[in-house]
Amino acid sequence: MGTLKQKLAILPDQPGCYLMKNEHGKIIYVGKAKVLKNRVRSYFTGSHDGKTQRLVSEITDFEYIVTSTEMEALVLEMNLIKKHDPRYNVMLKDDKSYPYLKITAEKHPRLVYTRKVLKDRGKYFGPFVNAFAAQETKKLLDRLYPLRKCDTMPKKVCLYYHIGQCLGPCVYDVPDEENEKMVQSILRFLSGGFEEVKSDLTEKMLAASEDLNFERAKELRDQIQHIEAVMEKQKMMTADLVDRDVFAYDFDKGWMCVQVFFVRQGKVIARDVSVFPFYGEAEEDMLTFIGQFYLQKNHLLPKEILLPAGVDADMVKQLLNVKALQPKKGQKKELVDLAKRNATLALNEKFSLIEQDEARTIKAVEQLGEQLGIPAPYRIEAFDNSNIQGTNPVSAMVVFQDGKPYKKEYRKYKIKTVEGPDDYASMKEVVRRRYARMLKEGLEPPGLIIIDGGKGQIKAAQDVLENELNLFIPVAGLAKDDKHRTSQLWTGDPPEYVPLARNSQPFYLLQRIQDEVHRFALSFHRQVRSKGMFESKLDEIAGVGEKRKKALMRHFGSLKKMKEASLEEIVAAGVPRPTAELIVAALNSEE
C-alpha cells in the first residue's frame, strides 16, 4: 500500500481518466474525473457499499491519464473501456440490440431486417417494439413493394419473382426510376405514411369490387387488415412528430437503473431498461452510459435527446452532435418524469432480488474457497471433453466470474495430437494449449481450474501445469454418479475427496458449472460432427466442389436444415437445377 499512498499524494488537480489494476496488473476498472485528485482518493477514504469495497480490496495499483477537458476525459474513458473490457465496468457489457429495418444503398436495393446499425449509407428505421413487429412489417412491405430479395444476384429468377415479390433484376432490366419509386414509397410508409398507403389500397379494393374482381379485392382487403394489425403495435403519445429518445435514471445502494423511451413519429414505440452496479458518480456514469449507448452499441441517433436534471446536456450535445435538452415543463418534462418513475419502480422491484443473487453467488465462491483451502476463486475455468462414439474428439472451456457464466471468454478446442478416445491425453493437450497461451499473452490466471473427472484427470492436468509450464493453479475434479449427476469433488496432490453438503451453495455452484461446460462441449461436438457428415455427404455428389460446399454450409447451416429444404430452396441458394436434384436425391437416400 506504500506505493499507492505515494501515488495518491501526487495526483494532479486536473480532469482525466484513471485505470485501477489488480495484483496481476490487469485493469479491472476505468473511470473519468473532473478532478483526478479528488475522485481517485475518494476510493481509499470513507465508507463504501459492499460492492465498491470489493473493488477497492482488489486494487493494488493504478495509473491515470490527464486530459485538457471533461469532454476529452469522457471520450478517452469510452475508448479505454472498449479496449480493456474491465470486469467492474458492468454497465457497458450489456449486449442488448433492437430490431431495425434497413433499405440498402445498392444499385438494386433490398429491404432487410437487422440488429446492427452500420455507417453504410443505408436508410434505417426503428427500433421496433419487438422482433415480431419488425418481421411482420417487413413481410407486409415485401408484399407491397417487390424490391430485390437475394443477397447476391442469382443467374435465374427465384421463387420470389414467381410470387410477385421481386422484379427479377438478376434477369430483367429494372430501371433505376422504378427502384427509386418503391424506395420512396417504403420511406413514406415507415415515416408514418402508412395511413396514405392504406387509403390508396382501399380505393383499389373498392375499384376491384366494382369490376367484380373479387379475388383481387380480397387480396387488397387482407393487405389493409395486415397494415392495421402490424402498425397498431407501434402506438403511444406526444403532439409533434419529432423522433426523440428520452433518458432518465434512479440509483440506490450502488445500483443504477436507466430507462430510455424511444419516441418515433410522436409515438413511444419501445423502451430500454438497464439495471447494473456502478462504482462512480451517478451523473458522470450516466454520461458514459449515453455515450456507449450510441457510439459503441450503435443505436440509431434521433433528432433530439431529452435528459433529466443533473446530466450535462452540453456534453451530450458535443459528444453526439445532436440536439440535447433538459426540459423544465410541458409534455417533454412529463416524458422525462414518466421515464424516471419507471426507473424507480424497476429498481425497487429488482433491487432485492439482484442483491440476494449477488450475495448468494459471491458467498458460494468464498465458501468453495474455504472448503478447498484456497483463496476465494472469483474466476473459475472449467473443462470437459466430448468424443461420443469415439469420433471428432473436442474439448470446451467455460469461465465463471464471481459465480456467474462469463460467456464472452468461453473457448472451444478440436483435439489435434491424440488418436482415438484418450481422456487423459486430451486433457493434457487442452490444458497445455490454454495455459501456454495465457502465459504468452499475459492473461489473468484463474483462481481455480475444474475438470470433468476424478483423480486421473486431475493428475494429468497438474502434470502439464506444474512440470511443463511451471504454474501452480489449484485444480479440482468433478466426478459424476451412475446417473450422470454431480457427485464428488476431488482436489490436491495426491487428490483427496472433499465432502460437500448436497444442499449447500458451493455444491449448487459446482453443479451449474459442470452442467454448463458439459452442455457447451456437447453442442460443439454435435456441430463438428454435423459439419463432417454434411461435407462427406456432399463429397459424393457430382458438381459439388469445395466452393459450392462452403456456400451451401453458409446458407443452410446444417445437414438437417438442408435435408428439410425443398428443391426450389436449394435452387434459390444458387445451385443449378440438375445439381440441386442430385443433392435432394443424395440427402434423402436410405444409405
Side-chain angles (χ1 to χ4, degrees):
M1 193 71 179
T3 307
L4 269 180
K5 283 183 178 177
Q6 290 166 4
K7 281 190 165 186
L8 290 169
I10 58 170
L11 278 162
D13 193 1
Q14 296 176 50
C17 290
Y18 53 92
L19 302 89
M20 303 299 199
K21 299 180 178 181
N22 66 8
E23 61 181 333
H24 304 292
K26 183 176 176 61
I27 294 167
I28 57 175
Y29 184 69
V30 170
K32 65 180 175 302
K34 295 178 184 177
V35 181
L36 280 167
K37 179 175 67 176
N38 297 344
R39 186 73 197 102
V40 178
R41 285 180 182 176
S42 71
Y43 286 93
F44 303 96
T45 58
S47 60
H48 302 287
D49 61 76
K51 290 184 301 303
T52 304
Q53 283 176 5
R54 220 178 118 230
L55 163 63
V56 175
S57 72
E58 291 190 40
I59 298 170
T60 58
D61 192 11
F62 69 87
E63 61 181 89
Y64 59 86
I65 302 169
V66 172
T67 59
S68 302
T69 64
E70 291 176 48
M71 174 57 66
E72 283 183 17
L74 173 59
V75 174
L76 177 60
E77 179 198 32
M78 290 191 294
N79 291 336
L80 290 172
I81 289 170
K82 186 175 182 180
K83 178 181 178 182
H84 297 291
D85 191 24
R87 55 181 286 220
Y88 280 102
N89 290 92
V90 179
M91 67 177 188
L92 302 162
K93 292 179 182 171
D94 184 9
D95 59 357
K96 277 186 294 186
S97 59
Y98 292 88
Y100 292 85
L101 292 182
K102 175 176 83 166
I103 300 175
T104 63
E106 299 169 283
K107 177 174 171 57
H108 295 290
R110 293 172 295 135
L111 177 68
V112 297
Y113 169 94
T114 182
R115 287 181 180 269
K116 292 182 178 178
V117 178
L118 306 172
K119 293 179 180 177
D120 56 1
R121 297 188 300 115
K123 297 179 177 70
Y124 290 84
F125 294 87
F128 281 78
V129 177
N130 54 42
F132 179 75
Q135 288 161 349
E136 288 299 297
T137 304
K138 182 181 182 303
K139 284 181 190 175
L140 170 61
L141 291 169
D142 284 341
R143 293 178 194 173
L144 295 173
Y145 308 108
L147 287 179
R148 164 188 156 208
K149 298 293 182 295
C150 301
D151 291 349
T152 55
M153 289 281 200
K155 292 181 180 176
K156 57 175 72 175
V157 293
C158 64
L159 183 62
Y160 288 113
Y161 173 81
H162 294 296
I163 62 175
Q165 290 190 18
C166 178
L167 295 180
C170 53
V171 172
Y172 303 105
D173 182 29
V174 179
D176 292 344
E177 298 78 31
E178 182 75 12
N179 280 328
E180 183 60 23
K181 183 180 174 184
M182 288 189 287
V183 166
Q184 290 305 319
S185 296
I186 293 171
L187 291 175
R188 202 164 58 247
F189 184 99
L190 291 172
S191 298
F194 56 87
E195 291 289 353
E196 184 183 331
V197 174
K198 193 170 80 170
S199 175
D200 182 49
L201 289 175
T202 303
E203 283 183 25
K204 289 179 179 176
M205 178 186 72
L206 294 173
S209 259
E210 288 173 7
D211 291 343
L212 304 182
N213 188 348
F214 299 117
E215 188 174 339
R216 174 62 176 158
K218 179 181 180 300
E219 181 185 326
L220 291 163
R221 185 204 66 190
D222 290 346
Q223 288 183 355
I224 292 164
Q225 289 176 346
H226 202 66
I227 288 175
E228 290 170 344
V230 170
M231 300 316 289
E232 196 64 32
K233 295 185 176 83
Q234 308 293 328
K235 293 193 175 180
M236 199 171 141
M237 49 203 243
T238 84
D240 59 25
L241 299 180
V242 175
D243 289 354
R244 56 173 61 94
D245 292 347
V246 183
F247 284 82
Y249 69 96
D250 198 3
F251 64 95
D252 187 22
K253 300 175 188 173
W255 288 88
M256 180 181 283
C257 175
V258 178
Q259 293 259 343
V260 189
F261 285 170
F262 300 107
V263 182
R264 298 295 181 268
Q265 292 295 306
K267 303 176 183 73
V268 178
I269 62 166
R271 70 167 177 167
D272 177 280
V273 186
S274 298
V275 182
F276 49 83
F278 74 108
Y279 303 90
E281 299 291 336
E283 290 82 3
E284 292 298 310
D285 279 357
M286 265 300 292
L287 275 176
T288 304
F289 181 93
I290 292 167
Q292 295 281 347
F293 190 81
Y294 292 109
L295 300 179
Q296 290 185 10
K297 297 303 179 188
N298 287 329
H299 288 290
L300 200 61
L301 268 170
K303 297 289 184 186
E304 182 178 283
I305 293 175
L306 303 185
L307 301 167
V311 179
D312 193 328
D314 288 335
M315 290 272 280
V316 173
K317 199 180 300 182
Q318 289 178 56
L319 179 68
L320 303 175
N321 193 26
V322 69
K323 187 177 180 182
L325 304 171
Q326 285 178 327
K328 300 292 188 291
K329 59 182 180 179
Q331 199 169 30
K332 291 180 181 180
K333 177 68 162 57
E334 288 172 13
L335 268 177
V336 175
D337 291 344
L338 179 63
K340 169 70 185 299
R341 286 200 297 275
N342 276 272
T344 303
L345 184 64
L347 197 62
N348 289 339
E349 284 178 352
K350 295 182 180 181
F351 184 75
S352 60
L353 292 174
I354 292 169
E355 282 283 79
Q356 289 170 18
D357 181 54
E358 179 89 355
R360 188 168 59 245
T361 53
I362 292 296
K363 193 68 179 172
V365 170
E366 291 169 350
Q367 288 174 346
L368 178 61
E370 290 171 12
Q371 292 273 357
L372 296 173
I374 62 174
Y378 294 115
R379 181 186 177 90
I380 297 172
E381 297 184 356
F383 296 84
D384 190 8
N385 297 329
S386 181
N387 57 2
I388 299 168
Q389 298 170 349
T391 63
N392 305 107
V394 300
S395 188
M397 180 195 81
V398 301
V399 177
F400 272 58
Q401 188 81 47
D402 298 332
K404 296 177 183 176
Y406 190 26
K407 296 190 177 183
K408 187 174 181 177
E409 297 202 11
Y410 284 15
R411 295 291 181 267
K412 301 170 181 176
Y413 299 91
K414 287 184 181 178
I415 302 301
K416 298 177 178 178
T417 62
V418 181
E419 292 293 331
D422 185 335
D423 271 353
Y424 296 162
S426 296
M427 181 61 65
K428 282 189 170 188
E429 179 189 321
V430 173
V431 168
R432 184 181 297 115
R433 285 165 61 186
R434 167 63 184 168
Y435 296 106
R437 173 174 284 249
M438 184 197 81
L439 289 171
K440 181 180 178 182
E441 297 183 1
L443 304 175
E444 181 180 5
L448 175 66
I449 296 169
I450 292 178
I451 56 173
D452 188 60
K455 296 180 182 180
Q457 280 90 346
I458 293 173
K459 292 195 76 63
Q462 287 172 335
D463 180 40
V464 172
L465 289 167
E466 296 175 12
N467 298 327
E468 294 184 30
L469 303 174
N470 199 32
L471 287 170
F472 296 88
I473 302 171
V475 179
L478 277 176
K480 291 182 179 176
D481 59 20
D482 54 4
K483 294 182 180 177
H484 296 282
R485 296 175 305 193
T486 303
S487 174
Q488 294 182 332
L489 175 66
W490 295 81
T491 193
D493 189 8
E496 295 181 357
Y497 169 65
V498 181
L500 276 182
R502 283 182 173 268
N503 61 351
S504 67
Q505 289 301 326
F507 184 83
Y508 292 146
L509 172 61
L510 291 172
Q511 202 168 42
R512 287 198 303 275
I513 292 171
Q514 191 169 40
D515 289 346
E516 177 68 355
V517 71
H518 183 66
R519 176 202 64 77
F520 189 53
L522 195 60
S523 66
F524 180 44
H525 185 270
R526 285 175 179 154
Q527 177 188 340
V528 170
R529 189 164 171 263
S530 171
K531 186 175 179 181
M533 290 170 61
F534 183 92
E535 292 183 344
S536 63
K537 273 276 189 184
L538 294 181
D539 283 337
E540 302 164 8
I541 303 168
V544 180
E546 200 62 35
K547 189 175 178 181
R548 179 158 286 153
K549 193 162 60 176
K550 286 180 181 176
L552 286 168
M553 187 65 186
R554 275 197 308 272
H555 188 88
F556 290 102
S558 71
L559 187 66
K560 181 176 180 290
K561 287 184 180 177
M562 194 169 174
K563 284 179 76 171
E564 292 168 354
S566 66
L567 175 65
E568 292 302 327
E569 286 172 322
I570 294 174
V571 170
V575 178
R577 185 171 290 273
T579 305
E581 289 170 352
L582 290 174
I583 290 173
V584 170
L587 294 181
N588 291 284
S589 66
E590 290 300 315
E591 290 184 339

